[in-house]
Amino acid sequence: MTAAVSPARGRTGSRAASSHLTGTGAMVRLALRRDRIKLPIWVLATTVLVPRFYYAATTTVVPTPEALAEATRLIRVSFMKVLAGPFFGVEAVTTQKYFLAAYWVEFLLAAALMNMLLITRHTRAEEQTGRAELIRAAVIGRHAQLTAALIVALLGNAVLAAFTAVAAISIGFPTGSALLFGASLAAAGLVFAAVTAVTAVTAQLTEYTRSASGLAGVALFGAWILRGAGAMQTQEGGPLFWLSPIGWSQQARVLAGDRWWPLGLSALLAGLLVAGAYALAGRRDLGAALVAPRPGRPSAPSWLRSPFTLALRLQQAAIGWWGAAFVAVGLVLGGMTGGMSNTDLPIFAGADFGRAWLSLMVFTGSLYTGVFAVLSILRLRAEEVRGRIGPVLAGPTSRSTWLGSSLLVSALAVAVLLAVYGFALGAGAAASSGDLALAGEVIRACLLRIPEVLVLLAVPAALLGLAPRAISAAWVVLVYSGFVQILGSYQGVPGWLVNTSVLSHLPWHPLGAFAPVATVVLVALAGALTALGLYGLRRRDLTTV
């Protein structure tokens, strides 16, 4: 007589869970090695900006007690609360509190973006390129890759919290408040690392990296909108403020009571999202998604059979999303003009502050459009690496035609986006100030900045042809140009150094000022860089993973 012996359920479940996580340590080491440059750059750049922004604020915006009082009034009573604020502890305003009111949101957004990009890079991007399938062929558990990405995100946020806390101490924060400030950034980062922004869940819902990133961006933008709407409800944030993970971090009230418990909401949401991510990962095949992509048509229409229309088709979704974001941001920024017209701050001494604000926002729009331009060329590099341009080039399409068509679409998109942003910014400014003529002036000012964005577009194009492995250096050009121009104008940076910025040659103000010589030079430079990219692409081999 024989009897079947059933293994203990607890041990079986334990072994199954362990097998799903097999190789997690190796995956963590691999992720850390791959991010040995990108992650430290994010952390160090965010850390350095703490004292840098504080110094810029205290020397240009609020150098005197009178200026501090005026800037505080501006944030408290105007539409500026959508961008900055809320302002906690207004009973005894200090430069440190002003720094938090003005810049805290920017640091929270930076932490969120760092985590969104990190998780996407180590999850969906790996599956889309096929590397995840090769890794799974080894002794690697089903959840090892996702777990490793989350562990790296946790480590990155811990280091970010520690470094920014030290930076906050250096600008006069008490130790406890500085630690809470750093923890607030880590908490916001972990929420968006857990799923709300391209992390564990959105990377499982869609099959493509760009779709996952887009969903994450929508989640982040929604959190920002809720935070801004809540900030407008009451001085310290209304009910809508509590619906935003970004708002939870700000409700820690650094330097105004130092509350740690709101960060527990972020930890709770992050935990729930991570649990959901594991559940979704266990219910789908590798490389698939819960939202299946729509099947394409069996044949393309005649108008879609040229390289230009193909490039337009591939970028139309990105152009549409960027355009929608520009409309929303432009209306918000333009709507602040009316409240600023009667403001007197040293940063724009002797100028109409409302128009000076619009000049700055026009420049900001060109910087945002530069981000789109760089991303559009990085997409071409991704298409090459993934082997997708091989079938295109196997036909009558030449390499120059392929790259030139994509560059033409991107250049036209730059002009359209700047026009859309200018229209929204001008409409908001005209509505808030009552000066209808501002709408036309702002649109013209935005269109005048097209040449500098074309140079930012041509830089990665040249690198794509001449040094494709170094194409990420285009971000260095963009970030350097932005910081040198923004900070250099008010911090006594030598003129020759400011002139090395791509964005320094077209005037900010007066609004809509035209520089014909600089415009011609920038267009010629963009053309030369584009020619170098086309030449390099014709002479080098294509690379694939």
Side-chain angles (χ1 to χ4, degrees), residues 14 16 44 71 84 92 113 129 144 148 165 172 181 201 207 213 230 307 327 345 368 370-371 469 515 519 525 534-535:
S14 176
L44 292 176
L113 285 172
T129 58
F181 172 69
V201 168
E207 186 170 343
S213 300
V327 169
L345 287 176
Y368 292 157
V371 174
R469 293 183 181 274
T519 298
L525 178 60
L534 294 171
Y535 172 79

Side-chain angles (χ1 to χ4, degrees), residues 161 163 258 271 326 340 419 525:
F163 278 41
D258 287 0
F326 273 19
M340 294 186 174
L525 178 60

Side-chain angles (χ1 to χ4, degrees), residues 17 24 41 92 96 160 186 224 243 257 259 287 296 325 394 409 419 425 429 486 535:
T24 299
I41 287 177
Q96 287 80 12
L160 177 67
W224 181 79
L243 298 179
R259 305 190 304 188
V409 169
L425 184 66
I486 294 173
Y535 172 79

